[in-house]
Amino acid sequence: MILKPREVPAELKTLRLLRPRMPLPDEQRYLYLEKGFKGEQQLDAWLEDLTTDCFVINDLLLNQNRNFFQIDKMLILQETIYLLESKYSKGDFFIVDDKWKAMSGIEIQDPRLQLKRSETLLRKLLHQHRLNFPVESTLVFTHSEFYLYNAPPQLPAVFPNQIHRFLETLNRLDSKMTHKHNKLAEKLLALHVHDNPHTQFPDYNYHELKKGVVCANCRSFMADKGVNWACAKCEYEEDNKTAIMRSIEEYKCLFPDRKITTNNIYDWCGMTSSKKKINRILTNNFTRVGHGNASYYVD
Ligand SMILES: [Zn+2]
């Protein structure tokens, strides 16, 4: 039972919306977040066939004495809490003298350290709240093109070709969720930190962003064809209502303080044809506040 589904992280969501409309200050950061999210989605997909009675909590952000730690995926089973950390690295790596290196010889961050840190902090947190559960943590390498030479067998890791057996092992465990587990899950969900302190939103302002309707499929700009919108790059087409409502959602997400007015949305969608189209969509889908030029729309 999934108690907390995975959502696109707020920072990634914002960057995805901004990217077609302005040069991002840190493209690498964006690519890093996309990569991480893709790995987590792969982890979710692999664990879809989990049939044992358990609770699943995704993207849990906790704070133990001002030490923030994120858990990609937590499985609460009858006897044990499992922490799964997704690593979406691609390529060949090896361990020498306890150091992780890429084939080029460049040392990479040892993924065990972060895992160990989360595990330790979670133990402290549970202890503090008098919740007594053993914790086990595992790295899950989620990229199919990852290979680690001379991996020690005791490494707490699951490689892509082991995931099926890992899942089978979990499914074979006798597990039953009881009041005790409900209490644990409720406590952890209540402790979840909503505003990630590591989130870095770039500076942006309305006037500097490129206006238009962005393709839902390839994120290029679409052309207003009168009856619908069309993407020249991927040939994706959308009717007026869907395209404009989607653009309003993007506008609301990027500018929660700006008013939804016919003129604002007309400008945001970069339109040159009639404003009536916008007016009709706003009237049919939102509640109008005020009259005349000062009127605006709310959900
Ligand atoms: Zn497209």
Side-chain angles (χ1 to χ4, degrees), residues 197-245:
H198 300 300
T199 296
Q200 315 164 8
F201 288 107
D203 282 331
Y204 60 93
N205 76 61
Y206 181 83
H207 302 285
E208 282 170 5
L209 298 189
K210 197 171 167 192
K211 309 301 188 294
V213 170
V214 175
C215 174
N217 185 40
C218 76
R219 308 296 292 158
S220 320
F221 282 93
M222 300 180 93
D224 182 359
K225 298 285 184 190
V227 286
N228 67 354
W229 291 77
C231 175
K233 196 172 169 194
C234 76
E235 297 182 345
Y236 184 74
E237 288 187 14
E238 228 168 25
D239 62 80
N240 277 317
K241 188 188 160 189
T242 313
I244 289 166
M245 286 299 283

Side-chain angles (χ1 to χ4, degrees), residues 8-69:
V8 182
E11 183 182 352
L12 178 58
K13 196 174 166 190
T14 303
L15 294 177
R16 280 181 178 175
L17 297 183
L18 289 175
R19 199 163 173 258
R21 300 181 186 272
M22 68 178 246
L24 295 181
D26 189 350
E27 178 76 6
Q28 289 309 313
R29 166 93 186 154
Y30 162 75
L31 295 172
Y32 169 80
L33 293 173
E34 280 289 10
K35 207 175 97 171
F37 187 62
K38 206 167 170 194
E40 289 162 13
Q41 284 182 304
Q42 179 63 65
L43 179 59
D44 295 345
W46 278 341
L47 289 174
E48 256 173 23
D49 296 330
L50 190 65
T51 51
T52 192
D53 189 16
C54 68
F55 291 142
V56 181
I57 302 177
N58 293 311
D59 274 338
L60 188 62
L61 180 63
L62 298 167
N63 174 4
Q64 162 64 23
N65 255 339
R66 296 198 199 141
N67 291 304
F68 289 90
F69 62 107

Side-chain angles (χ1 to χ4, degrees), residues 133-151:
F133 283 88
V135 178
E136 266 186 44
S137 56
T138 305
L139 291 167
V140 184
F141 290 91
T142 38
H143 202 297
S144 59
E145 289 178 49
F146 172 86
Y147 191 76
L148 182 66
Y149 286 97
N150 56 20

Side-chain angles (χ1 to χ4, degrees), residues 258-285:
R258 276 183 80 91
K259 285 201 161 70
I260 299 172
T261 65
T262 304
N263 282 339
N264 282 353
I265 300 305
Y266 184 78
D267 183 58
W268 177 244
C269 294
M271 289 169 68
T272 47
S273 61
S274 159
K275 280 185 190 170
K276 275 187 193 150
K277 228 164 18 190
I278 299 286
N279 216 333
R280 196 169 53 237
I281 290 168
L282 290 177
T283 312
N284 290 341
N285 298 283

